[in-house]
Amino acid sequence: MLSISMAAAPSQPELPAIESDYLLEIENLHVQFTTSAGVVRAVEGVNYRVRPGEIVALVGESGCGKSVSALSIMGLLPRPAGRVVEGRVHFDGRDLLQLSEEEMREIRGRDIGMVFQEPMTSLNPVLTIGRQITEPLEIHLGLNKAASRRRAVELLNLVGISDAERRLDQYPHQFSGGMRQRVMIAIGLACNPKLLIADEPTTALDVTIQAQILELIRNLSKRLGMAVVIITHNLGIVARYADRVNVMYAARIVEQCTAGEIFARPRHPYTIGLLRSVPRLDRPRGARLETIEGLPPNLLEPPSGCRFAARCPWALDACAAEPPVVETEPDHLVRCLRVAEVANRGLDVAPATRAAAAPVAAEDVLLEVRGLTKHFTVSSGFGTHGVVRAVNDVSFAVPSGQTLGLVGESGCGKTTVGRSILRLEQPTAGELRFAGQDLGRANGAALKKLRTKIQVIFQDPYSSLNPRMTVGQIIAEPLLVYRRVKGRKAARQRTEELLTEVGLYPYMADRYPHQLSGGQRQRVGIARALALEPEFIVCADPVSALDVSIQGQIINLLEDLQVKLGLTYLFIAHDLAVVRHISHRVAVMYLGRIMETADRDALYEAPLHPYTQALLEAAPIPDATLERGRSRQVLGGEIPSPLTPPQGCVFHTRCPRATDECRAAVPELREIKPGHWSACIKL
């Protein structure tokens, strides 16, 4: 039975009186930022609660107010621009918004810990790791230097960093990304806080390190009764670890309930759109991804009614008025006028079909890589030298019109392979053949001609676009340099055609990159790559920096362009679900070597190599029912340094099935089944 509150106020219904079993209660929180363009209403009428030992997730697109609400709890809003204009933040019986700065300093780090999104910018580069961990211990707990150092060693061991005593005297740049994030967690946990706020704590991490860190946070939460607020885009993480979920859109919470309920019975159109947009690791390549078209509203001038109405497939004229908050089931709140109709349809709408690609002959190979090896010589300030073995004896082929997905942890050599194909790196050894030509030895005019046929889409669409050039200038530049058009008028016309082809408006040619959204900037990057009409495109993790709804749009666009133009892709990525959705074949790399390669469905349904199995077990699925029932073994340890790779099989230091034979011999990549190759002695 649906109960409806018809209150016209933008905030949710008043919460009942404070109950003792809640550690954190946020009531009717409003946060604004004063800018030169006006007042940004970053958070409006947000309410949620967290119990001790509970993990509560905040999800939603970038700019929806997730991080701002967390910074409000900590009293870390940038001043004077940011301010809380209304609301209460009750923590352990006290309203944090009424405390002085000195009182808040006593609470930060001691009672409330925070793990920020980017550990390299959050850690002080000129202080040792040990000093950064011991500082809160000395300030908040009054420990002396010896006691605080002993506690710091315990904390590093707790978060899985070995040789802790020696590591304390090292600096952040001497740690890997996963280890730096563990240090941030160690700092956050140093004083045994009652509440930990984790803002995208695993965004920059590999799936195996992500699993280690999140398992650690969950275990500590249950063991110590520590409440956790986790901010994330990754719905798989929500499904696996969260107890409750708050879905935010355009500064407001639009749906809140248990994690199981949000995946089984989503009720808000935005929540349903998010779930449809996410590629599923447990499903074979099939239909096109559903997408949420359009952009969130401008929070300088937000619409008066439902803020999702402009993008909602169920919107009515009545949605121009403030939507009611509906309780569909006990403790399941939804801000929607048409929640009853939406509930009847849910996720059961048939997705759009995928355009069929033309069949490709197996022998029609466009790119062939044979024995590719790339080593880098490095030197220290003392003149000593070492060799980074980035890529070792890598071989694969990509048929024309198909996509090869290349996956693996950071530092495994994926990007170096892509850069070598682009001839941005000169291979140490091996052969690269493109359309029958020797790409590795091409120089001068021959290389310039080949480069027009091979283009790249970069991971970060903002840093890869010149901020001083308009979109039109960025796309027109290769057309003019390679004389593909006659004059600037023709270049402008072709630029507008390319913008239309990638789903942008021609007038956007006059905008600068900072005036576009992340998804629009990535489309500009794709348009630039298409300008010279290439045959092959290296996609260097092109969707990892995007929200899931925008990610779906870009993936669909790449697939449509492949069918329309006959493009061939090398798709480099961390996200295993995205790779399964877009690829025809998949190659798995580890520490410079290919561990396994096969047809996408064969590899995902029956992986042969222990490393591939570990990757797939670590990757979360956006389905709480499936996630809570999965048996998995989290891969431990860190990827070894490519300066000193292990002898024998490079994976043996982390492999649960390694033997003395694995430590002695380098396994050959062998065809175990037709078309399914693996480098494992035990197979």
Side-chain angles (χ1 to χ4, degrees):
M1 191 71 177
L2 302 181
S3 61
I4 301 179
S5 166
M6 297 302 294
S11 58
Q12 289 179 266
E14 285 294 321
L15 293 171
I18 298 174
E19 300 177 18
S20 60
D21 59 342
Y22 289 103
L23 176 68
L24 175 69
E25 297 179 87
I26 296 179
E27 301 179 11
N28 197 30
L29 182 67
H30 291 251
V31 181
Q32 297 180 357
F33 288 87
T34 302
T35 70
S36 58
V39 176
V40 176
R41 297 166 177 82
V43 173
E44 288 199 331
V46 164
N47 296 286
Y48 66 87
R49 293 169 165 174
V50 188
R51 295 182 177 91
E54 187 177 41
I55 300 177
V56 173
L58 287 177
V59 301
E61 290 174 287
S62 297
C64 70
K66 306 185 302 294
S67 296
V68 171
S69 63
L71 292 173
S72 301
I73 297 171
M74 297 288 286
L76 294 176
L77 290 173
R79 297 176 182 174
R83 66 190 189 280
V84 176
V85 297
E86 188 179 346
R88 293 180 292 178
V89 178
H90 286 279
F91 172 75
D92 203 18
R94 306 171 72 184
D95 188 351
L96 299 183
L97 300 182
Q98 302 302 317
L99 301 183
S100 66
E101 180 59 31
E102 184 177 348
E103 290 172 318
M104 278 304 301
R105 279 199 298 267
E106 293 178 359
I107 290 176
R108 291 191 208 107
R110 185 189 66 189
D111 296 325
I112 305 178
M114 188 159 187
V115 180
F116 294 94
Q117 180 172 353
E118 178 44 62
M120 194 60 194
T121 56
S122 303
L123 294 172
N124 192 324
V126 300
L127 296 180
T128 65
I129 293 297
R131 181 58 191 146
Q132 296 184 64
I133 298 175
T134 58
E135 185 178 41
L137 295 169
E138 295 171 8
I139 292 173
H140 293 299
L141 302 184
L143 300 182
N144 60 34
K145 289 187 177 181
S148 64
R149 187 174 178 88
R150 286 195 298 270
R151 172 63 175 156
V153 171
E154 293 174 4
L155 287 165
L156 287 187
N157 288 326
L158 183 69
V159 298
I161 295 179
S162 58
D163 196 11
E165 185 70 42
R166 181 179 63 87
R167 291 286 195 176
L168 286 178
D169 298 319
Q170 294 183 334
Y171 291 85
H173 72 273
Q174 295 175 287
F175 283 56
S176 68
M179 293 172 70
R180 286 195 294 266
Q181 194 63 288
R182 294 185 206 196
V183 170
M184 286 296 302
I185 293 173
I187 295 172
L189 298 173
C191 299
N192 294 326
K194 299 175 182 178
L195 171 66
L196 180 69
I197 300 174
D199 187 359
E200 297 280 7
T202 60
T203 296
L205 303 182
D206 298 304
V207 64
T208 51
I209 304 301
Q210 170 186 283
Q212 293 177 28
I213 287 175
L214 292 173
E215 289 288 338
L216 169 67
I217 290 176
R218 181 171 65 177
N219 292 339
L220 291 174
S221 172
K222 303 307 178 188
R223 195 175 81 199
L224 304 176
M226 177 181 66
V228 178
V229 174
I230 185 167
I231 299 168
T232 182
H233 291 91
N234 191 324
L235 295 176
I237 289 175
V238 175
R240 180 177 292 183
Y241 298 104
D243 298 307
R244 293 187 56 77
V245 183
N246 298 304
V247 181
M248 291 192 70
Y249 182 79
R252 297 179 179 173
I253 291 180
V254 296
E255 185 165 7
Q256 54 187 172
C257 59
T258 64
E261 188 81 4
I262 207 80
F263 289 98
R265 288 175 292 279
R267 295 294 184 251
H268 195 280
Y270 176 62
T271 310
I272 293 171
L274 282 181
L275 292 172
R276 286 183 185 164
S277 299
V278 181
R280 292 284 294 263
L281 186 67
D282 57 331
R283 293 177 184 171
R285 174 181 166 116
R288 286 168 58 84
L289 290 174
E290 291 288 313
T291 61
I292 305 175
E293 297 301 326
L295 296 172
N298 186 344
L299 295 181
L300 280 166
E301 298 178 358
S304 57
C306 174
R307 296 187 175 179
F308 188 62
R311 306 173 72 189
C312 180
W314 287 286
L316 299 172
D317 291 342
C319 296
E322 182 63 36
V325 174
V326 178
E327 187 174 29
T328 60
E329 288 90 14
D331 215 19
H332 188 158
L333 299 178
V334 185
R335 185 187 293 275
C336 183
L337 180 69
R338 303 194 66 192
V339 66
E341 297 99 313
V342 173
N344 290 334
R345 297 182 68 182
L347 295 169
D348 298 328
V349 178
T353 57
R354 178 198 301 270
V360 179
E363 65 274 8
D364 188 12
V365 172
L366 181 64
L367 175 72
E368 187 173 9
V369 177
R370 300 176 186 169
L372 177 64
T373 298
K374 178 59 183 176
H375 295 170
F376 296 93
T377 302
V378 295
S379 60
S380 70
F382 300 100
T384 56
H385 296 270
V387 176
V388 174
R389 296 166 176 82
V391 178
N392 280 303
D393 195 23
V394 164
S395 300
F396 58 81
V398 189
S400 178
Q402 292 198 4
T403 301
L404 174 70
L406 191 59
V407 301
E409 293 174 288
S410 295
C412 71
K414 307 185 301 296
T415 301
T416 303
V417 169
R419 289 177 61 84
S420 298
I421 293 169
L422 293 164
R423 282 296 303 274
L424 299 177
E425 302 287 354
Q426 183 62 37
T428 304
E431 187 177 2
L432 301 170
R433 300 197 69 82
F434 180 81
Q437 295 180 265
D438 191 338
L439 179 61
R441 295 184 179 180
N443 290 296
L447 179 59
K448 185 176 180 179
K449 185 177 180 180
L450 280 172
R451 276 183 166 158
T452 65
K453 300 179 180 180
I454 304 175
Q455 291 293 301
V456 60
I457 303 169
F458 294 98
Q459 176 177 354
D460 186 347
Y462 192 74
S463 63
S464 61
L465 300 177
N466 191 328
R468 298 185 179 185
M469 296 173 68
T470 65
V471 166
Q473 291 170 334
I474 290 170
I475 299 173
E477 184 178 37
L479 294 171
L480 296 170
V481 169
Y482 285 91
R483 299 179 182 177
R484 291 300 180 91
V485 293
K486 294 182 179 180
R488 295 190 178 276
K489 184 177 180 180
R492 173 74 183 204
Q493 182 179 352
R494 178 57 180 152
T495 295
E496 292 180 351
E497 291 174 358
L498 288 165
L499 287 173
T500 302
E501 194 165 38
V502 298
L504 296 176
Y505 296 107
Y507 67 79
M508 290 182 174
D510 296 321
R511 293 187 177 180
Y512 288 88
H514 74 272
Q515 296 175 302
L516 303 178
S517 70
Q520 290 172 331
R521 285 195 292 265
Q522 194 61 287
R523 289 171 187 262
V524 172
I526 294 172
R528 179 177 59 183
L530 295 175
L532 296 177
E533 300 178 1
E535 299 175 34
F536 185 87
I537 298 179
V538 176
C539 303
D541 220 348
V543 297
S544 65
L546 306 177
D547 293 313
V548 290
S549 55
I550 307 300
Q551 173 182 282
Q553 296 176 19
I554 298 301
I555 292 171
N556 285 343
L557 173 63
L558 290 172
E559 291 176 333
D560 292 343
L561 291 172
Q562 184 171 53
V563 173
K564 180 181 177 181
L565 304 176
L567 296 172
T568 307
Y569 297 139
L570 174 66
F571 196 90
I572 300 169
H574 288 88
D575 192 319
L576 297 171
V578 168
V579 169
R580 178 169 194 173
H581 184 86
I582 200 171
S583 302
H584 297 87
R585 286 185 64 82
V586 179
V588 181
M589 284 190 71
Y590 183 82
L591 206 62
R593 295 183 180 274
I594 288 184
M595 299 287 102
E596 186 167 2
T597 182
D599 175 80
R600 60 173 182 270
D601 291 334
L603 186 137
Y604 280 80
E605 291 169 8
L608 299 178
H609 197 280
Y611 178 59
T612 310
Q613 294 167 2
L615 283 180
L616 293 174
E617 284 188 10
I621 297 171
D623 187 314
T625 302
L626 291 177
E627 267 304 317
R628 305 299 165 95
R630 284 177 73 194
S631 60
R632 57 187 175 272
Q633 180 178 354
V634 177
L635 184 65
E638 293 279 340
I639 186 170
S641 169
L643 271 168
T644 55
Q647 297 294 318
C649 175
V650 289
F651 184 60
H652 83 258
T653 58
R654 303 171 74 192
C655 181
R657 292 183 285 182
T659 63
D660 291 340
E661 186 180 6
C662 301
R663 299 179 182 92
V666 177
E668 179 187 356
L669 187 65
R670 298 177 292 121
E671 189 173 22
I672 309 300
K673 300 176 182 178
H676 197 150
W677 298 66
S678 182
C680 182
I681 293 174
K682 297 300 178 182
L683 296 175

